[in-house]
Amino acid sequence: MNKLDSMNEIVEEVVKRIQQQQQNTFEVEASGRHVHLSRQEIDALFGPGYQLTKVKDLSQPGQFVCKERITVAGPKGLFQNVVILGPERSESQVEVSMTDTRILGINAPVRESGKTEGTPGVTLMNGSAVVTLSHGLIVAKRHIHMTPEDALKNKVSNSQIVQVKVEGTRPLIFDDVVVRISPRFATYMHIDYDEANACGITKGARGYILK
C-alpha cells in the first residue's frame, strides 16, 4: 500500500466516524430553575389533597409543567414565580443553576436528580404558606435521557460518563455528562441555562457523543 492509499483510508475512516456521529445526534434542551414537590409539601403549600394543574407536557413522557408557581428563598435572595414540574414525587427537590445558588446564598452541590442526601435545604413559599426543606437543593448534573434503542446505537451504558459536543453559535464540548437509560425516557440531553448560554444554543440545538 502506497502513502496515497494509506491517506485515503484515513480520510475515509474519519468521514465515516463523523457521519455516524451526525446520525446519532439528539436534541439538547435548556432547563431553567424548577421544583419537584412531594405530597407532604403540596399539602403544606396549597392545602390538604390539592392536585397540581397540568398545563403543558414536557419532552420526557409523563412529565409536565404545572400552572402553580411558588417562591424559592435563601438567606441572601429569592426567586418568585418558580415553575413546578409534575407529577408529584416521593421527595421534594429544587433544581437551580450555579448562578442561582449565589443569588440565594446557598452553596448547592452538583448532583443527579434524586440524589439529594447531604444537600442543603431551602425555603418554599406560596403566599402565607411557608415550608423549609431540610435538604433537596441541587445544581442538576448535565445528563442525557436515552432510550435503550438509542443507547445501543451510541454504544453506551446506564450511568456511563461521556463527552458531548453541542452545536450552537458557540459550539462547545461538555465533559462529565451522565447517560441515563430507560424505556420510559425519550432521548434528550438536559443542561441548565448557565451551560446553555455558554454555548449559545437555541431551540432545536443538537449534540452528539464523542468517542
Side-chain angles (χ1 to χ4, degrees):
M1 180 182 297
N2 59 41
K3 289 184 178 180
L4 180 59
D5 289 338
S6 179
M7 183 62 70
N8 286 338
E9 282 192 3
I10 293 173
V11 171
E12 288 174 0
E13 180 63 24
V14 170
V15 171
K16 181 180 178 181
R17 290 183 182 181
I18 292 174
Q19 288 175 338
Q20 288 176 338
Q21 288 173 336
Q22 291 175 338
Q23 289 171 357
N24 291 334
T25 63
F26 37 79
E27 188 167 342
V28 181
E29 294 183 320
S31 179
R33 69 183 76 97
H34 61 271
V35 178
H36 300 279
L37 294 178
S38 70
R39 169 46 47 189
Q40 180 179 344
E41 273 69 58
I42 294 172
D43 287 348
L45 290 167
F46 297 98
Y50 187 89
Q51 296 298 309
L52 296 172
T53 309
K54 181 171 77 170
V55 294
K56 184 176 70 173
D57 288 319
L58 295 170
S59 60
Q60 295 306 303
Q63 305 296 304
F64 55 88
V65 175
C66 301
K67 179 183 71 174
E68 294 79 6
R69 298 289 189 273
I70 60 173
T71 295
V72 176
K76 288 188 176 180
L78 56 79
F79 295 108
Q80 296 178 312
N81 202 37
V82 178
V83 67
I84 300 170
L85 300 187
E88 65 185 62
R89 291 196 175 185
S90 59
E91 185 176 57
S92 293
Q93 176 177 293
V94 181
E95 298 181 34
V96 296
S97 69
M98 285 287 190
T99 300
D100 290 343
T101 65
R102 290 169 172 78
I103 295 171
L104 290 172
I106 305 175
N107 185 25
V110 177
R111 291 283 185 88
E112 287 185 54
S113 180
K115 296 184 177 181
T116 60
E117 184 178 354
T119 60
V122 69
T123 298
L124 310 179
M125 299 184 291
N126 177 40
S128 60
V130 179
V131 172
T132 298
L133 302 179
S134 62
H135 64 284
L137 181 68
I138 67 169
V139 176
K141 185 179 181 71
R142 58 183 77 111
H143 58 278
I144 308 168
H145 293 282
M146 191 170 285
T147 64
E149 295 77 13
D150 285 335
L152 285 173
K153 292 178 184 178
N154 284 277
K155 300 179 181 179
V156 293
S157 57
N158 190 49
S159 298
Q160 183 174 342
I161 302 298
V162 298
Q163 286 185 325
V164 176
K165 183 170 184 180
V166 177
E167 303 294 347
T169 55
R170 304 166 69 188
L172 189 61
I173 296 173
F174 285 105
D175 201 356
D176 196 29
V177 182
V178 64
V179 179
R180 300 170 61 189
I181 301 169
S182 171
R184 301 188 304 272
F185 291 160
T187 301
Y188 285 82
M189 179 175 174
H190 286 163
I191 58 179
D192 66 30
Y193 280 172
D194 283 355
E195 296 164 321
N197 288 335
C199 59
I201 71 166
T202 55
K203 185 174 177 58
R206 312 289 293 182
Y208 57 86
I209 294 173
L210 296 176
K211 296 296 184 181

